[in-house]
Structure formats: structure tokens, C-alpha cells
Coordinates of all heavy atoms in Angstrom, one line a residue:
M83 N 52.0 -67.4 -6.3 CA 53.3 -68.1 -6.4 C 54.3 -67.5 -5.3 O 55.0 -68.3 -4.7 CB 53.9 -67.8 -7.8 CG 55.2 -68.4 -8.0 SD 54.9 -70.0 -8.6 CE 56.5 -70.5 -9.0
L84 N 54.2 -66.2 -5.0 CA 55.1 -65.6 -4.0 C 54.7 -66.0 -2.6 O 55.6 -66.1 -1.8 CB 55.0 -64.1 -4.2 CG 55.6 -63.5 -5.5 CD1 55.4 -62.0 -5.5 CD2 57.1 -63.8 -5.6
L85 N 53.4 -66.3 -2.4 CA 53.0 -66.8 -1.1 C 53.4 -68.2 -0.8 O 53.7 -68.6 0.3 CB 51.5 -66.6 -0.9 CG 51.0 -65.2 -0.8 CD1 49.5 -65.2 -0.8 CD2 51.6 -64.5 0.4
L86 N 53.4 -69.0 -1.8 CA 53.8 -70.5 -1.6 C 55.3 -70.7 -1.6 O 55.7 -71.7 -1.1 CB 53.1 -71.3 -2.7 CG 51.6 -71.3 -2.7 CD1 51.0 -72.1 -3.8 CD2 51.0 -71.8 -1.4
T87 N 56.1 -69.9 -2.2 CA 57.5 -70.1 -2.3 C 58.1 -70.2 -0.9 O 58.9 -71.1 -0.6 CB 58.2 -69.0 -3.1 OG1 57.6 -69.1 -4.4 CG2 59.7 -69.2 -3.2
P88 N 57.8 -69.3 0.0 CA 58.4 -69.4 1.4 C 58.0 -70.7 2.1 O 58.7 -71.3 2.8 CB 57.9 -68.2 2.1 CG 57.5 -67.2 1.1 CD 57.1 -68.0 -0.1
A89 N 56.7 -71.1 1.9 CA 56.2 -72.3 2.5 C 57.0 -73.5 2.1 O 57.3 -74.4 2.9 CB 54.7 -72.5 2.2
V90 N 57.3 -73.6 0.9 CA 58.0 -74.8 0.3 C 59.5 -74.6 0.5 O 60.3 -75.5 0.9 CB 57.6 -75.1 -1.1 CG1 58.4 -76.2 -1.7 CG2 56.1 -75.4 -1.2
G91 N 60.0 -73.4 0.1 CA 61.5 -73.2 0.1 C 62.1 -73.2 1.5 O 63.2 -73.7 1.7
L92 N 61.4 -72.6 2.4 CA 62.0 -72.4 3.8 C 62.3 -73.8 4.4 O 63.3 -74.0 5.0 CB 61.1 -71.6 4.7 CG 61.5 -71.3 6.1 CD1 62.8 -70.4 6.0 CD2 60.4 -70.7 6.9
S93 N 61.4 -74.7 4.3 CA 61.6 -76.0 4.9 C 62.8 -76.8 4.3 O 63.5 -77.4 5.0 CB 60.3 -76.9 4.8 OG 60.1 -77.2 3.4
W94 N 63.0 -76.6 3.0 CA 64.1 -77.3 2.3 C 65.4 -76.7 2.6 O 66.5 -77.3 2.4 CB 63.8 -77.6 0.9 CG 62.8 -78.7 0.7 CD1 61.5 -78.6 0.5 CD2 63.0 -80.1 1.0 NE1 60.9 -79.8 0.5 CE2 61.8 -80.7 0.8 CE3 64.2 -80.8 1.3 CZ2 61.7 -82.1 1.0 CZ3 64.1 -82.2 1.5 CH2 62.8 -82.8 1.3
I95 N 65.4 -75.4 3.0 CA 66.7 -74.8 3.5 C 67.1 -75.6 4.7 O 68.3 -75.9 4.8 CB 66.5 -73.3 3.7 CG1 66.3 -72.6 2.4 CG2 67.7 -72.8 4.5 CD1 65.9 -71.1 2.5
F96 N 66.2 -75.8 5.6 CA 66.6 -76.6 6.8 C 66.9 -78.0 6.5 O 67.7 -78.7 7.1 CB 65.4 -76.6 7.8 CG 65.3 -75.2 8.5 CD1 64.3 -74.4 8.2 CD2 66.2 -74.9 9.5 CE1 64.2 -73.1 8.8 CE2 66.1 -73.7 10.2 CZ 65.1 -72.8 9.8
G97 N 66.3 -78.6 5.4 CA 66.6 -79.9 5.0 C 68.1 -80.0 4.5 O 68.8 -81.0 4.8
V98 N 68.5 -79.0 3.8 CA 69.9 -79.0 3.3 C 70.9 -78.8 4.5 O 71.9 -79.5 4.6 CB 70.1 -77.9 2.3 CG1 71.6 -77.7 1.9 CG2 69.3 -78.2 1.0
I99 N 70.5 -78.0 5.5 CA 71.3 -77.8 6.7 C 71.5 -79.1 7.4 O 72.6 -79.3 8.0 CB 70.7 -76.7 7.5 CG1 70.8 -75.3 6.8 CG2 71.4 -76.6 8.9 CD1 70.1 -74.2 7.5
I100 N 70.5 -79.9 7.5 CA 70.6 -81.2 8.2 C 71.6 -82.1 7.6 O 72.4 -82.7 8.4 CB 69.2 -81.9 8.2 CG1 68.2 -81.1 9.0 CG2 69.3 -83.3 8.7 CD1 66.8 -81.7 8.9
V101 N 71.8 -82.1 6.3 CA 72.8 -82.9 5.7 C 74.2 -82.5 6.1 O 75.0 -83.4 6.4 CB 72.7 -82.8 4.1 CG1 73.9 -83.5 3.4 CG2 71.4 -83.3 3.6
F102 N 74.5 -81.3 6.3 CA 75.8 -80.8 6.7 C 76.0 -80.7 8.2 O 77.1 -80.8 8.7 CB 76.1 -79.5 6.0 CG 76.1 -79.6 4.5 CD1 75.2 -79.0 3.8 CD2 77.1 -80.3 3.9 CE1 75.2 -79.0 2.4 CE2 77.1 -80.4 2.5 CZ 76.1 -79.8 1.7
C103 N 75.0 -80.5 8.9 CA 75.1 -80.2 10.4 C 74.9 -81.4 11.3 O 75.5 -81.4 12.3 CB 74.1 -79.1 10.7 SG 74.2 -78.4 12.4
H104 N 74.0 -82.3 10.9 CA 73.6 -83.5 11.7 C 73.1 -83.1 13.1 O 73.5 -83.7 14.1 CB 74.8 -84.4 11.9 CG 75.3 -84.9 10.6 ND1 74.6 -85.7 9.7 CD2 76.5 -84.7 9.9 CE1 75.3 -86.0 8.7 NE2 76.5 -85.4 8.7
S105 N 72.3 -82.0 13.2 CA 71.8 -81.5 14.4 C 70.3 -82.1 14.6 O 69.5 -82.0 13.7 CB 71.7 -80.0 14.4 OG 71.0 -79.5 15.5
E106 N 70.1 -82.6 15.7 CA 68.7 -83.2 16.0 C 67.7 -82.0 16.1 O 66.6 -82.2 15.6 CB 68.7 -84.0 17.3 CG 67.4 -84.7 17.5 CD 67.5 -85.6 18.7 OE1 68.6 -86.1 19.1 OE2 66.4 -85.9 19.3
M107 N 68.1 -80.9 16.6 CA 67.2 -79.7 16.7 C 66.8 -79.3 15.3 O 65.7 -78.9 15.0 CB 67.9 -78.6 17.4 CG 67.1 -77.4 17.6 SD 65.6 -77.9 18.6 CE 64.8 -76.3 18.7
M108 N 67.7 -79.3 14.3 CA 67.4 -78.9 12.9 C 66.4 -79.9 12.3 O 65.6 -79.5 11.5 CB 68.7 -78.8 12.1 CG 69.5 -77.6 12.3 SD 68.5 -76.1 12.0 CE 69.7 -74.9 12.4
E109 N 66.6 -81.2 12.7 CA 65.6 -82.2 12.2 C 64.2 -81.9 12.7 O 63.2 -82.0 11.9 CB 66.0 -83.6 12.6 CG 67.3 -84.1 11.9 CD 67.8 -85.4 12.5 OE1 67.1 -86.0 13.3 OE2 68.9 -85.8 12.0
Y110 N 64.1 -81.5 13.9 CA 62.8 -81.1 14.5 C 62.2 -79.9 13.8 O 61.0 -79.8 13.5 CB 62.8 -80.9 16.0 CG 63.0 -82.2 16.8 CD1 64.1 -82.4 17.6 CD2 62.0 -83.2 16.7 CE1 64.2 -83.6 18.3 CE2 62.1 -84.4 17.4 CZ 63.2 -84.6 18.2 OH 63.4 -85.7 18.9
V111 N 63.0 -78.9 13.6 CA 62.6 -77.7 12.9 C 62.1 -78.1 11.5 O 61.1 -77.6 11.0 CB 63.7 -76.6 12.8 CG1 63.3 -75.5 11.9 CG2 64.0 -76.1 14.2
F112 N 62.9 -78.9 10.8 CA 62.5 -79.3 9.4 C 61.2 -80.1 9.4 O 60.3 -79.8 8.6 CB 63.6 -80.2 8.9 CG 63.3 -80.8 7.5 CD1 63.3 -80.0 6.4 CD2 63.1 -82.2 7.4 CE1 63.0 -80.6 5.1 CE2 62.8 -82.7 6.1 CZ 62.7 -81.9 5.0
V113 N 61.0 -81.0 10.3 CA 59.7 -81.7 10.4 C 58.6 -80.8 10.7 O 57.5 -80.9 10.1 CB 59.8 -82.9 11.4 CG1 58.5 -83.5 11.7 CG2 60.8 -83.9 10.9
F114 N 58.8 -79.9 11.7 CA 57.7 -79.0 12.1 C 57.3 -78.1 10.9 O 56.1 -77.9 10.6 CB 58.1 -78.1 13.3 CG 57.1 -77.1 13.7 CD1 56.0 -77.5 14.4 CD2 57.3 -75.8 13.4 CE1 55.0 -76.6 14.7 CE2 56.3 -74.8 13.7 CZ 55.2 -75.2 14.4
I115 N 58.3 -77.5 10.2 CA 57.9 -76.6 9.1 C 57.3 -77.4 8.0 O 56.3 -76.9 7.4 CB 59.2 -75.8 8.7 CG1 59.6 -74.9 9.7 CG2 58.9 -75.1 7.4 CD1 60.9 -74.2 9.4
N116 N 57.7 -78.6 7.7 CA 57.1 -79.4 6.7 C 55.6 -79.7 7.0 O 54.8 -79.8 6.2 CB 57.9 -80.7 6.4 CG 58.9 -80.5 5.3 OD1 58.7 -79.7 4.4 ND2 59.9 -81.3 5.3
S117 N 55.4 -80.0 8.3 CA 54.1 -80.4 8.7 C 53.1 -79.2 8.7 O 51.9 -79.4 8.6 CB 54.1 -81.0 10.1 OG 54.5 -80.1 11.1
M118 N 53.6 -78.0 8.8 CA 52.8 -76.8 8.8 C 52.5 -76.2 7.4 O 51.8 -75.3 7.2 CB 53.4 -75.7 9.6 CG 53.5 -76.0 11.1 SD 51.9 -76.4 11.8 CE 51.2 -74.8 11.8
Q119 N 53.1 -76.9 6.3 CA 52.9 -76.4 5.0 C 51.5 -76.4 4.5 O 51.0 -75.4 3.9 CB 53.8 -77.2 4.0 CG 55.2 -76.8 3.9 CD 55.9 -77.7 2.9 OE1 55.4 -78.5 2.2 NE2 57.2 -77.4 2.8
G120 N 50.8 -77.5 4.8 CA 49.4 -77.6 4.5 C 48.5 -76.5 5.1 O 47.7 -75.9 4.5
F121 N 48.8 -76.3 6.4 CA 48.0 -75.2 7.1 C 48.3 -73.9 6.6 O 47.4 -73.0 6.4 CB 48.4 -75.3 8.6 CG 47.8 -74.2 9.4 CD1 46.4 -74.1 9.7 CD2 48.6 -73.1 9.9 CE1 45.9 -73.1 10.4 CE2 48.0 -72.1 10.6 CZ 46.6 -72.1 10.8
Y122 N 49.6 -73.6 6.2 CA 50.0 -72.3 5.7 C 49.3 -72.1 4.3 O 48.8 -71.0 4.0 CB 51.5 -72.3 5.5 CG 52.0 -71.0 4.9 CD1 52.1 -69.8 5.6 CD2 52.5 -71.0 3.6 CE1 52.5 -68.6 5.0 CE2 52.9 -69.8 3.0 CZ 52.9 -68.6 3.7 OH 53.4 -67.5 3.2
I123 N 49.3 -73.1 3.5 CA 48.6 -73.0 2.2 C 47.1 -72.8 2.4 O 46.5 -71.9 1.7 CB 48.9 -74.2 1.3 CG1 50.4 -74.3 0.9 CG2 48.0 -74.3 0.1 CD1 50.9 -75.6 0.3
W124 N 46.5 -73.5 3.3 CA 45.1 -73.3 3.5 C 44.8 -71.9 4.0 O 43.9 -71.2 3.6 CB 44.6 -74.3 4.6 CG 43.2 -74.0 5.0 CD1 42.0 -74.3 4.3 CD2 42.7 -73.3 6.1 NE1 40.9 -73.9 5.0 CE2 41.3 -73.2 6.1 CE3 43.4 -72.7 7.2 CZ2 40.6 -72.6 7.1 CZ3 42.7 -72.1 8.2 CH2 41.3 -72.0 8.2
L125 N 45.7 -71.4 4.9 CA 45.5 -70.1 5.5 C 45.6 -69.0 4.4 O 44.8 -68.1 4.3 CB 46.5 -69.9 6.6 CG 46.4 -68.6 7.4 CD1 45.2 -68.6 8.3 CD2 47.6 -68.4 8.3
T126 N 46.7 -69.1 3.6 CA 46.9 -68.0 2.6 C 46.0 -68.1 1.4 O 45.6 -67.1 0.9 CB 48.4 -68.0 2.2 OG1 48.6 -69.3 1.6 CG2 49.3 -67.7 3.3
Q127 N 45.6 -69.3 1.0 CA 44.8 -69.4 -0.2 C 43.3 -69.5 0.0 O 42.5 -69.2 -0.9 CB 45.3 -70.7 -1.0 CG 46.7 -70.6 -1.4 CD 47.0 -69.4 -2.3 OE1 46.3 -69.2 -3.3 NE2 48.1 -68.7 -2.0
C128 N 42.9 -69.9 1.2 CA 41.5 -70.1 1.5 C 41.0 -69.1 2.6 O 40.1 -68.2 2.3 CB 41.2 -71.5 2.0 SG 41.5 -72.7 0.7
A129 N 41.5 -69.2 3.8 CA 41.0 -68.4 4.9 C 41.2 -66.9 4.7 O 40.3 -66.1 5.1 CB 41.6 -68.9 6.2
L130 N 42.3 -66.5 4.2 CA 42.6 -65.0 4.0 C 42.2 -64.5 2.6 O 42.4 -63.3 2.4 CB 44.1 -64.8 4.3 CG 44.5 -65.1 5.7 CD1 46.0 -64.8 5.9 CD2 43.7 -64.3 6.8
S131 N 41.6 -65.3 1.8 CA 41.2 -64.9 0.5 C 39.9 -64.1 0.6 O 39.0 -64.5 1.2 CB 41.0 -66.1 -0.4 OG 40.4 -65.8 -1.6
G132 N 39.9 -62.9 0.0 CA 38.8 -62.1 0.0 C 37.6 -62.7 -0.7 O 36.4 -62.6 -0.2
E133 N 37.8 -63.4 -1.8 CA 36.7 -64.1 -2.5 C 36.0 -65.2 -1.6 O 34.8 -65.3 -1.6 CB 37.3 -64.7 -3.8 CG 36.2 -65.3 -4.7 CD 36.8 -65.9 -5.9 OE1 37.9 -65.5 -6.3 OE2 36.2 -66.8 -6.5
V134 N 36.8 -65.9 -0.9 CA 36.3 -67.0 -0.1 C 35.5 -66.4 1.1 O 34.5 -66.8 1.5 CB 37.4 -67.9 0.4 CG1 36.9 -68.9 1.5 CG2 38.0 -68.7 -0.8
Q135 N 36.1 -65.3 1.7 CA 35.4 -64.7 2.8 C 34.1 -64.1 2.4 O 33.1 -64.2 3.2 CB 36.3 -63.6 3.4 CG 37.5 -64.1 4.2 CD 38.4 -63.0 4.7 OE1 38.2 -61.8 4.4 NE2 39.5 -63.4 5.4
L136 N 34.0 -63.5 1.3 CA 32.8 -62.9 0.8 C 31.7 -64.0 0.5 O 30.6 -63.9 0.9 CB 33.0 -62.2 -0.5 CG 31.8 -61.5 -1.2 CD1 31.3 -60.4 -0.2 CD2 32.2 -60.9 -2.5
A137 N 32.1 -65.1 0.0 CA 31.2 -66.2 -0.3 C 30.7 -66.8 1.1 O 29.5 -67.1 1.2 CB 31.9 -67.3 -1.1
L138 N 31.6 -66.9 2.1 CA 31.1 -67.4 3.4 C 30.2 -66.5 4.1 O 29.2 -66.9 4.7 CB 32.4 -67.7 4.3 CG 33.2 -68.9 3.9 CD1 34.4 -69.0 4.8 CD2 32.4 -70.2 4.1
K139 N 30.5 -65.2 3.9 CA 29.6 -64.2 4.5 C 28.2 -64.2 3.9 O 27.2 -64.2 4.6 CB 30.1 -62.8 4.4 CG 31.3 -62.5 5.3 CD 31.8 -61.1 5.1 CE 33.0 -60.8 6.0 NZ 33.6 -59.4 5.7
K140 N 28.1 -64.4 2.6 CA 26.8 -64.5 1.9 C 26.1 -65.7 2.3 O 24.9 -65.7 2.6 CB 27.0 -64.5 0.4 CG 27.3 -63.2 -0.2 CD 27.5 -63.3 -1.7 CE 27.8 -61.9 -2.3 NZ 28.0 -62.0 -3.8
R141 N 26.8 -66.8 2.4 CA 26.2 -68.1 2.8 C 25.6 -68.1 4.2 O 24.5 -68.5 4.4 CB 27.2 -69.2 2.7 CG 26.6 -70.6 3.0 CD 27.5 -71.7 2.7 NE 26.8 -72.9 3.1 CZ 27.3 -74.1 2.7 NH1 28.3 -74.2 2.0 NH2 26.6 -75.2 3.1
F142 N 26.4 -67.6 5.2 CA 25.9 -67.5 6.5 C 24.8 -66.4 6.7 O 24.0 -66.6 7.5 CB 27.1 -67.3 7.5 CG 27.9 -68.6 7.7 CD1 29.2 -68.6 7.3 CD2 27.3 -69.7 8.2 CE1 30.0 -69.8 7.4 CE2 28.0 -70.9 8.3 CZ 29.4 -70.9 7.9
K143 N 24.9 -65.4 5.9 CA 23.9 -64.3 6.0 C 22.6 -64.9 5.5 O 21.5 -64.7 6.2 CB 24.3 -63.1 5.2 CG 23.3 -62.0 5.3 CD 23.8 -60.8 4.5 CE 22.9 -59.6 4.6 NZ 23.3 -58.5 3.8
N144 N 22.6 -65.6 4.4 CA 21.4 -66.3 3.9 C 20.8 -67.3 4.9 O 19.6 -67.4 5.1 CB 21.6 -66.9 2.6 CG 21.8 -65.9 1.5 OD1 21.4 -64.8 1.6 ND2 22.5 -66.3 0.4
R145 N 21.7 -68.0 5.5 CA 21.3 -69.1 6.5 C 20.6 -68.4 7.7 O 19.6 -68.9 8.2 CB 22.5 -69.9 6.9 CG 22.1 -71.0 7.9 CD 23.2 -71.9 8.2 NE 23.5 -72.7 7.0 CZ 24.5 -73.6 6.9 NH1 25.3 -73.8 7.9 NH2 24.7 -74.3 5.8
T146 N 21.2 -67.4 8.2 CA 20.7 -66.7 9.4 C 19.3 -66.1 9.0 O 18.4 -66.2 9.8 CB 21.6 -65.6 9.8 OG1 22.9 -66.1 10.1 CG2 21.1 -64.9 11.1
G147 N 19.2 -65.5 7.9 CA 17.9 -64.9 7.5 C 16.8 -66.0 7.4 O 15.7 -65.8 7.7
H148 N 17.2 -67.2 6.9 CA 16.3 -68.3 6.7 C 15.8 -68.8 8.1 O 14.7 -69.1 8.3 CB 17.0 -69.4 5.9 CG 16.1 -70.6 5.6 ND1 15.0 -70.5 4.8 CD2 16.1 -71.9 6.0 CE1 14.4 -71.7 4.7 NE2 15.1 -72.5 5.5
D149 N 16.8 -68.9 9.0 CA 16.4 -69.4 10.4 C 15.4 -68.4 11.1 O 14.5 -68.9 11.8 CB 17.7 -69.5 11.2 CG 18.5 -70.7 10.8 OD1 18.0 -71.6 10.1 OD2 19.7 -70.7 11.2
I150 N 15.6 -67.1 10.9 CA 14.7 -66.2 11.5 C 13.3 -66.3 11.0 O 12.4 -66.3 11.7 CB 15.2 -64.7 11.3 CG1 16.5 -64.5 12.1 CG2 14.2 -63.7 11.7 CD1 17.2 -63.2 11.8
S151 N 13.2 -66.5 9.7 CA 11.8 -66.7 9.1 C 11.2 -67.9 9.6 O 10.0 -68.0 9.9 CB 11.9 -66.7 7.6 OG 12.6 -67.8 7.1
I152 N 11.9 -69.0 9.8 CA 11.4 -70.2 10.3 C 10.9 -70.0 11.8 O 9.8 -70.5 12.2 CB 12.4 -71.4 10.2 CG1 12.6 -71.8 8.8 CG2 11.9 -72.6 11.1 CD1 13.6 -72.8 8.6
N153 N 11.7 -69.3 12.6 CA 11.3 -69.1 14.0 C 10.1 -68.2 14.0 O 9.3 -68.4 14.9 CB 12.5 -68.4 14.7 CG 13.7 -69.4 15.0 OD1 13.5 -70.6 15.0 ND2 14.8 -68.8 15.1
T154 N 10.0 -67.2 13.2 CA 8.8 -66.4 13.2 C 7.6 -67.2 12.8 O 6.5 -67.0 13.5 CB 9.0 -65.2 12.1 OG1 10.2 -64.6 12.4 CG2 7.8 -64.3 12.2
I155 N 7.6 -68.0 11.8 CA 6.5 -68.9 11.5 C 6.2 -69.8 12.6 O 5.0 -70.0 12.9 CB 6.8 -69.7 10.2 CG1 6.9 -68.8 9.0 CG2 5.8 -70.8 9.9 CD1 7.5 -69.4 7.7
S156 N 7.2 -70.4 13.2 CA 7.0 -71.3 14.3 C 6.3 -70.6 15.5 O 5.3 -71.1 16.1 CB 8.3 -71.9 14.8 OG 8.2 -72.4 16.0
S157 N 6.7 -69.4 15.9 CA 6.1 -68.7 17.0 C 4.6 -68.3 16.6 O 3.7 -68.3 17.5 CB 6.9 -67.4 17.4 OG 6.9 -66.5 16.3
T158 N 4.3 -67.9 15.4 CA 3.0 -67.6 15.0 C 2.1 -68.9 15.1 O 1.0 -68.8 15.5 CB 3.0 -67.1 13.5 OG1 3.9 -66.0 13.4 CG2 1.6 -66.7 13.1
T159 N 2.6 -70.0 14.7 CA 1.9 -71.2 14.7 C 1.6 -71.6 16.2 O 0.5 -72.0 16.5 CB 2.7 -72.4 14.1 OG1 3.0 -72.0 12.8 CG2 1.9 -73.7 14.0
N160 N 2.5 -71.4 17.1 CA 2.3 -71.7 18.5 C 1.3 -70.8 19.1 O 0.4 -71.2 19.9 CB 3.6 -71.6 19.3 CG 4.6 -72.7 19.0 OD1 4.2 -73.8 18.5 ND2 5.9 -72.5 19.2
T161 N 1.2 -69.5 18.7 CA 0.2 -68.6 19.2 C -1.1 -69.0 18.7 O -2.1 -68.9 19.4 CB 0.6 -67.1 18.6 OG1 1.9 -66.8 19.0 CG2 -0.4 -66.1 19.2
N162 N -1.2 -69.4 17.4 CA -2.5 -69.9 16.9 C -3.0 -71.1 17.6 O -4.2 -71.2 17.9 CB -2.4 -70.2 15.4 CG -2.3 -68.9 14.6 OD1 -2.6 -67.8 15.0 ND2 -1.7 -69.1 13.4
R163 N -2.1 -72.0 18.0 CA -2.5 -73.2 18.7 C -3.1 -72.8 20.1 O -4.1 -73.4 20.5 CB -1.4 -74.2 18.9 CG -1.0 -74.9 17.7 CD 0.1 -75.8 17.9 NE 0.5 -76.4 16.6 CZ 1.7 -77.0 16.4 NH1 2.5 -77.1 17.4 NH2 2.0 -77.5 15.2
V164 N -2.5 -71.9 20.8 CA -3.0 -71.5 22.1 C -4.3 -70.9 21.9 O -5.2 -71.1 22.7 CB -2.0 -70.5 22.7 CG1 -2.6 -69.9 24.0 CG2 -0.7 -71.2 23.1
T165 N -4.5 -70.1 20.9 CA -5.8 -69.4 20.7 C -6.9 -70.4 20.4 O -8.0 -70.4 21.0 CB -5.7 -68.4 19.5 OG1 -4.6 -67.6 19.7 CG2 -6.9 -67.6 19.4
I166 N -6.6 -71.4 19.6 CA -7.6 -72.5 19.3 C -7.9 -73.3 20.6 O -9.0 -73.6 20.8 CB -7.0 -73.4 18.2 CG1 -7.0 -72.6 16.9 CG2 -7.9 -74.6 18.0 CD1 -6.3 -73.3 15.7
E167 N -6.9 -73.6 21.4 CA -7.2 -74.4 22.6 C -8.0 -73.6 23.6 O -8.8 -74.2 24.3 CB -5.8 -74.8 23.2 CG -5.1 -75.8 22.4 CD -3.7 -76.1 23.0 OE1 -3.4 -75.6 24.1 OE2 -2.9 -76.9 22.4
E168 N -7.8 -72.3 23.6 CA -8.6 -71.5 24.6 C -10.1 -71.4 24.1 O -10.9 -71.3 25.0 CB -8.0 -70.1 24.7 CG -6.7 -70.1 25.4 CD -6.1 -68.7 25.3 OE1 -6.7 -67.7 24.7 OE2 -5.0 -68.5 25.9
L169 N -10.3 -71.5 22.9 CA -11.7 -71.5 22.4 C -12.4 -72.8 22.7 O -13.4 -73.0 23.1 CB -11.7 -71.3 20.9 CG -11.2 -69.9 20.4 CD1 -11.2 -69.9 18.8 CD2 -12.1 -68.8 20.9

């Protein structure tokens, strides 16, 4: 809750300022901050989450281990083919 409050609240502070100020620059700041809300939420809730990082590390670690075993089997098979062809 504390991480999402600045993302939502900060943009609407600029929204209220626009009503009283009529500044085009404030409108651009308001639009930019509103457009970055989704990225901010993704960053704080997904990318920087320890639970998500741990799950991604496990997934890619398993995938890398799987690829190595396939490459080892493949190279062994290629060696056997060369040996059979030489005979």
C-alpha cells in the first residue's frame, strides 16, 4: 500500500495544480507521471519482489541445466555416428 500511494497520489497532485495554474508544462508532467504508473507498479510489485526473483532464478537454472544435458547427449550421439561411419 505504501509503495502504490506515491504512484497514484503524486500524479493527481499535479492534476489539481493544472486546474488552478493552467500551465502546459504541468499538463505534460501530469501525463508523463500517469503514463509511468503501470511501469512503476510492475517494477515495485514484480521485478523487485524477492519472491518473483527467486522463482525466475529457479526457472532459468532448471532450463540451463536441461539445455546442458541435451547438448551432452547430442555430442555423444555425434561421436557415435563418426565412429560408426569410420567402421
Side-chain angles (χ1 to χ4, degrees):
M83 182 86 172
L84 293 175
L85 291 174
L86 296 178
T87 301
V90 177
L92 183 66
S93 65
W94 283 104
I95 290 172
F96 286 103
V98 171
I99 292 172
I100 291 171
V101 172
F102 298 110
C103 186
H104 300 296
S105 170
E106 188 173 334
M107 183 61 177
M108 287 298 179
E109 291 175 6
Y110 286 120
V111 171
F112 176 69
V113 169
F114 177 75
I115 292 175
N116 267 335
S117 66
M118 296 303 291
Q119 281 182 1
F121 175 72
Y122 178 75
I123 292 169
W124 173 81
L125 186 68
T126 58
Q127 301 300 312
C128 296
L130 298 178
S131 170
E133 185 179 337
V134 172
Q135 288 177 356
L136 182 63
L138 287 173
K139 284 179 185 177
K140 284 182 181 179
R141 181 175 179 165
F142 285 117
K143 184 177 181 181
N144 290 338
R145 181 176 288 178
T146 305
H148 185 66
D149 289 341
I150 291 171
S151 64
I152 290 174
N153 290 337
T154 305
I155 293 169
S156 164
S157 65
T158 305
T159 306
N160 289 338
T161 306
N162 290 339
R163 286 183 186 162
V164 172
T165 309
I166 292 172
E167 289 176 5
E168 290 176 357
L169 292 174

